[in-house]
Amino acid sequence: MLPNIKSLTREELAAQLEAWGEKAYRAKQVLDWLYVHSVASWDEMTNLAKPLREKLAATFSLQSLELVRMQGARDTTQKFLWRLADHSLIESVLIPASPSFDGETSDRHTLCVSTQVGCAYGCKFCASGLDGWKRNLLPFEIVEQVMAVERWGGEQAKVLSLESQVPSQPPDAAAAKLQNPYSRLIDNVVIMGMGEPLANYENLLQALRILNAGWGGRLGARKITVSTSGLAPQIRRFADEPEQFRLAVSLHGATDEVRQKIMPVNRKFPLRELTAALDYYQAKKGKMLLFEYILIAGVNDALDQVRPLAALAGKLYAKVNLIPYNAVEGLPWARPDDATCEAFLVALRKQKIVCTLRREKGHDIDAACGQLRLKTERELQSAVR
Ligand code: SAH
Ligand code: SF4
């Protein structure tokens, strides 16, 4: 199989073009076709000579992801299930303006992106790890989740503007947005889909650099958040990267006792080691971390967890995002009732910790990542049987 051109940085593409004796400006032309005009074929790259297009086609693949299933209504959380070339399934989730992701209510969109097929870390509550780990995603498979949803957004805007076309009225905002090939639907990317991103370190960083580049995804580094279950050595490595990507840590327990009940990774990197790595990250980056804390009934929602959680968050200047657990079919865990979640939030605020509680209902449709894939895999298996 040919390497995909969207796994390449500008420098790598430029080096290849130079080796073919092409002028330096050709790299920019190719990248504009890929990331501004989002073309699906080499023949659409009309300002390149045919022999160059043929050489590119013989050297690189331009393949995208195949959309196999969507779930969710317009203006709410939308799930995209993609099929890869080896028939693996992965998912991305588009979340409209969400205070728990970006702290404000507006017309912003956040895309939740996957980095592996399955997950090897086996957290007890998570759908992504249920069938184990299959493989790492390649850089373009991470980049293309964003680009393919952008293309989908462009198509939606086209439909919306056709629906609202009344001859006497000026074109609406969606149509205006569509006319500008540089505008983007997605404002924030969170690497919180299927997989442990820091266990696919090189491909993740390559993809983030492509998404962050002015010639590529044009997403600011601060608009990109990587979530980890707590791989201490990779957190240190991430702290040493020059970019200001954000880091979120899936804590879910503020003591080793609670955490290792639900997260096997805690045996390898207990809280002492994790917090030492986060200290290093904080010292290097000097900015706020995010702690994700799923509230699971009877596991980590008792008020005696508030003090140790506040102590960790306070020491590391971390903001805490409380997330009521989404039930996963076949797993025994449940979400606490609303009053318990609110009481946990109030108690944490009393400890002067900056925190939010995710309340939106959009997350109820097979909400957490990994669940639509799991459902589809199981439906496919029962269809085969
Ligand atoms: N592997 C990384 C990133 C993917 S998981 C990590 O663990 O951080 C993204 C977030 O969704 C994690 O905080 C994870 O703990 C959480 N999550 C997984 N299953 C969930 C569920 N059923 N309900 C709510 N959150 C869930
Ligand atoms: Fe993997 Fe994250 Fe799910 Fe744990 S929570 S199994 S690390 S995807």
Side-chain angles (χ1 to χ4, degrees), residues 9-60:
T9 61
R10 177 175 59 189
E11 292 66 31
E12 290 163 343
L13 177 64
Q16 176 65 79
L17 291 167
E18 198 190 323
W20 288 339
E22 293 290 338
K23 296 257 168 26
Y25 64 83
R26 289 285 178 217
K28 179 168 179 357
Q29 288 179 327
V30 174
L31 292 167
D32 276 355
W33 287 118
L34 297 178
Y35 296 104
V36 180
H37 306 293
S38 251
V39 298
S41 71
W42 302 105
D43 285 340
E44 288 168 79
M45 302 187 177
T46 47
N47 57 3
L48 306 184
K50 196 148 188 273
L52 176 56
R53 275 185 267 154
E54 283 170 354
K55 234 188 267 179
L56 284 166
T59 313
F60 299 112

Side-chain angles (χ1 to χ4, degrees), residues 39-112:
V39 298
S41 71
W42 302 105
D43 285 340
E44 288 168 79
M45 302 187 177
T46 47
N47 57 3
L48 306 184
K50 196 148 188 273
L52 176 56
R53 275 185 267 154
E54 283 170 354
K55 234 188 267 179
L56 284 166
T59 313
F60 299 112
S61 158
L62 193 56
Q63 204 182 0
S64 183
L65 312 175
E66 182 194 348
L67 181 63
V68 285
R69 191 166 179 180
M70 273 198 71
Q71 195 176 54
R74 215 184 251 174
D75 303 328
T76 64
T77 299
Q78 302 262 0
K79 292 201 133 197
F80 298 80
L81 187 74
W82 313 105
R83 189 183 290 120
L84 309 178
D86 66 351
H87 299 286
S88 292
L89 296 174
I90 56 162
E91 55 186 88
S92 318
V93 185
L94 183 65
I95 306 152
S98 158
S100 57
F101 277 112
D102 52 35
E104 54 191 289
T105 314
S106 62
D107 64 350
R108 282 163 184 279
H109 286 82
T110 297
L111 187 73
C112 176

Side-chain angles (χ1 to χ4, degrees), residues 116 118-130 192-197 227-230 250 252 262-265 294 369:
Q116 297 184 313
C119 182
Y121 286 82
C123 302
K124 301 271 167 57
F125 49 81
C126 178
S128 292
L130 272 184
M192 294 186 183
M194 198 188 336
E196 168 49 55
S227 174
T228 179
S229 59
S250 295
H252 310 333
I262 46 178
M263 301 183 74
V265 69
I294 320 178
C369 258

